[in-house]
């Protein structure tokens, strides 16, 4: 069996905002693909780019090990790879070039290569795996090993006689438990733990319990798993958790699903499995406010160890939520936040500004919601057009100069919105300051009621009010000026 070198093209150091957080996660999607090929008898290795500085570091390994296949397989469970940041695209192109110079067969699987496969073929990639890639990769490698035709391999894109061949779409895998556990042993876990230690946060590993999302927010792209929603069994996930706890002494997890626990009774069965194995964990998830309000979902999530939930609040304007085809109500954001707080579960909001037709009233509603609900954390972005979405089709004629961000802190408006990029950058800073101000004022009230609960975190939050109150006031004034100019 030929040797296969797996890698991917996300470098945290090329994304300064994410590197600053010091909370890197191993490339989970890459580890799944590597595990499947190893299970089928192939000799594999991993060149993990996450913690490295640039693609040049792959060159000595390619020269030394001389793999027949270089598989650049991006982590489809990391939303940052879905954004197709140009820093990472250029890194991938450089890796392709190094692989070709060592006579490797180059196979690429990523959101960006699925959307822009011609660019990757032009740079020297031999094959593109479009969509979910594990089974396509296994079938392709077997064809290459046995010198068989690959014209019938679903999900494959390649060139033949200077023509680009796009094979039939591969159906997504429905029984996810058929896959072996990710090849965690290929990861230099101590390096990840060392970086996390710098963040001051508890070391956390990423687990995917599902693939896909059945909802149809018109700005959300799904180039890998599509609109189908398939789940591992609770037993499979709990067995993986038990393995990771024993092997790496980790007890906190990021469930990196687009939507956690959508399948009926999945969360309840997951809780039972954890109890049966006597496993105590903490974890955080992404979910929807309407889903959280179903039956006893929040109660069971709290009982099973849920520590924090990130919800796609997006906006406090129902007009904007409806324009996005979000399918949620503003009042559901308020209700879910209230119920989660009762269970001592932290609530974090994804907020999105700049969507089509947004005006100052819509923006004001969202800011007022942050002030009133005081979420435990917020993540702010501007609307980002991704290929394959209805939103992209609406604005694609504006994407003449720039269609992708350089890194995740770029914050450039790539279409003609209500306001300019400069306005939205100022808005992002203002909302973050309002958030910190609200947090500090809340902690000040807690301190007044019970001074004995004062700790370093609360004390720092209160002291920083001396900065955030005047700074937010100044930013509000600047935004008003900018708004009038726009």
């Amino acid at each position: 069996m030929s040797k296969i070198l797996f890698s991917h093209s996300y470098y945290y150091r090329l994304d300064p905002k994410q590197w600053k957080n010091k909370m890197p996660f191993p490339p989970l999607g890459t580890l799944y693909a590597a595990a499947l090929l190893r299970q089928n008898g192939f000799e594999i290795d991993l060149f993990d780019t996450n913690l490295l500085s640039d693609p040049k570091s792959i060159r000595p390994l390619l020269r030394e090990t001389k793999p027949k296949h270089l598989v650049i397989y991006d982590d489809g469970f990391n939303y940052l790879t879905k954004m197709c940041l140009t820093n990472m695209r250029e890194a991938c192109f450089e890796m392709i070039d190094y692989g070709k110079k060592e006579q490797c067969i180059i196979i690429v699987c990523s959101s960006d290569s699925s959307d822009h496969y011609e660019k990757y073929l032009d740079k020297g990639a031999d094959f593109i795996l479009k969509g979910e890639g594990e089974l396509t990769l296994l079938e392709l490698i077997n064809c290459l090993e046995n010198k068989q035709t690959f014209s019938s391999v679903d999900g494959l894109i390649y060139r033949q006689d200077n023509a680009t061949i796009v094979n039939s779409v591969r159906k997504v895998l429905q029984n996810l438990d058929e896959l072996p556990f990710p090849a965690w042993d290929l990861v230099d876990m101590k390096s990840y733990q060392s970086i996390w230690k710098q963040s001051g946060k508890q070391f956390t590993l990423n687990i995917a319990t599902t693939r896909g999302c059945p909802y149809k927010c018109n700005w959300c792209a799904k180039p890998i798993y599509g609109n189908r929603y398939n789940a591992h069994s609770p037993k499979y996930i709990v067995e993986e958790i038990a393995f990771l706890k024993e092997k790496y002494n980790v007890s906190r997890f990021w469930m990196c699903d687009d939507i956690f626990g959508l399948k009926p009774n999945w969360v309840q069965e997951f809780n039972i499995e954890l109890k049966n194995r006597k496993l105590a964990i903490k974890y955080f998830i992404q979910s929807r406010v309407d889903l959280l309000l179903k039956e006893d979902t929040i109660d069971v999530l709290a009982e099973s160890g849920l520590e924090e939930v990130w919800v796609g609040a997006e906006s406090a304007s129902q007009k904007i939520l409806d324009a996005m085809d979000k399918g949620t109500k503003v009042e559901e954001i308020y209700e879910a936040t209230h119920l989660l707080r009762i269970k001592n579960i932290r609530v974090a909001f994804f907020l999105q500004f700049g969507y089509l037709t947004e005006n100052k009233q819509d923006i004001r509603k969202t800011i007022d919601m942050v002030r009133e609900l005081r979420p435990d954390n917020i993540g702010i972005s501007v609307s980002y057009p991704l290929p394959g979405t209805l939103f992209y089709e609406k604005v694609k004629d504006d994407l003449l100069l720039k269609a992708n961000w350089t890194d995740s802190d770029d914050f450039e408006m790539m279409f003609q919105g209500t306001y300019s990029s400069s306005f939205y950058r100022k808005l992002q800073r203002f909302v973050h300051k309002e958030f910190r101000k609200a947090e500090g004022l809340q902690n000040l009230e807690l301190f007044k009621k019970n001074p004995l609960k004062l700790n370093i975190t609360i004390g720092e939050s209160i002291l920083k009010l001396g900065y955030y109150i005047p700074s937010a006031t100044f930013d509000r004034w600047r935004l008003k000026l900018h708004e009038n100019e726009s």
Side-chain angles (χ1 to χ4, degrees), residues 292-446:
L292 290 167
L293 294 173
K294 290 185 177 180
E295 300 169 343
D296 62 344
T297 298
I298 290 178
D299 291 340
V300 176
L301 287 169
E303 192 175 310
S304 62
L306 181 64
E307 189 175 58
E308 182 175 85
V309 54
W310 281 83
V311 297
E314 314 303 349
S315 174
S317 166
Q318 194 61 52
K319 180 193 83 175
I320 296 299
L321 293 180
D322 292 343
M324 292 176 170
D325 296 323
K326 182 71 182 178
T328 55
K329 303 293 184 185
V330 173
E331 54 265 30
E332 290 172 331
I333 302 172
Y334 280 74
E335 185 180 358
T337 300
H338 174 69
L339 294 175
L340 289 162
R341 285 267 167 72
I342 290 174
K343 291 294 182 179
N344 294 315
I345 296 172
R346 290 167 52 88
V347 188
F349 291 170
F350 288 117
L351 301 174
Q352 184 178 155
F353 292 110
Y355 197 82
L356 295 169
T357 76
E358 180 184 68
N359 57 37
K360 61 183 178 182
Q361 288 80 20
D362 302 315
I363 293 171
R364 188 174 297 120
K365 287 177 181 179
T366 301
I367 296 172
D368 288 343
M369 178 178 70
V370 171
R371 289 178 181 141
E372 184 177 349
L373 293 182
R374 296 179 178 178
D376 296 282
N377 207 345
I378 56 173
I380 301 175
S381 184
V382 293
S383 299
Y384 189 93
L386 289 166
T389 65
L390 179 61
F391 176 50
Y392 180 89
E393 292 302 313
K394 290 180 179 180
V395 302
K396 66 181 180 181
D397 290 340
D398 288 342
L399 308 179
L400 299 178
L401 297 177
K402 187 170 184 177
N404 297 88
W405 284 354
T406 302
D407 56 56
S408 64
D409 201 30
D410 189 322
F411 229 75
E412 182 79 18
M413 284 288 288
M414 294 184 291
F415 61 97
Q416 185 60 52
T418 306
Y419 302 109
S420 66
S421 297
S422 177
F423 172 85
Y424 285 111
R425 288 193 180 100
K426 289 181 174 64
L427 177 63
Q428 178 204 29
R429 289 192 289 272
F430 171 67
V431 176
H432 272 291
K433 289 174 183 177
E434 283 292 303
F435 164 67
R436 293 300 178 192
K437 187 176 79 173
E439 181 183 55
L441 290 171
Q442 183 179 38
N443 284 329
L444 181 60
E445 289 300 315
L446 290 173

Side-chain angles (χ1 to χ4, degrees), residues 10 20 75 80 113 119 160 167 194 210 234 320 334 435 462 473:
Y10 188 78
K20 182 180 178 181
D75 179 11
L80 295 162
S113 63
K119 295 180 186 292
Q160 186 171 289
N167 289 357
S194 176
T210 64
I320 296 299
Y334 280 74
F435 164 67
I462 294 170
T473 301

Side-chain angles (χ1 to χ4, degrees), residues 12 83 92 135 181 227 260 284 301 313 370 420 432 479 486:
Y12 276 87
M83 293 175 71
C92 187
L135 297 182
F181 286 160
N227 265 106
F260 180 81
F284 59 110
L301 287 169
V370 171
S420 66
H432 272 291
L479 272 172
S486 299

Side-chain angles (χ1 to χ4, degrees), residues 18-35:
Q18 301 304 322
W19 182 244
K20 182 180 178 181
N21 290 338
K22 302 299 182 186
M23 294 186 291
F25 292 103
L28 184 59
T30 317
L31 300 181
Y32 265 113

Side-chain angles (χ1 to χ4, degrees), residues 22 27 42 108 110 141 144 191 233 244 267 324 334 338 409 443 463 478:
K22 302 299 182 186
F42 291 96
V108 181
S110 67
I141 295 289
L144 294 173
S191 294
S233 68
L244 293 172
V267 172
M324 292 176 170
Y334 280 74
H338 174 69
D409 201 30
N443 284 329
L463 288 173
R478 288 206 305 168

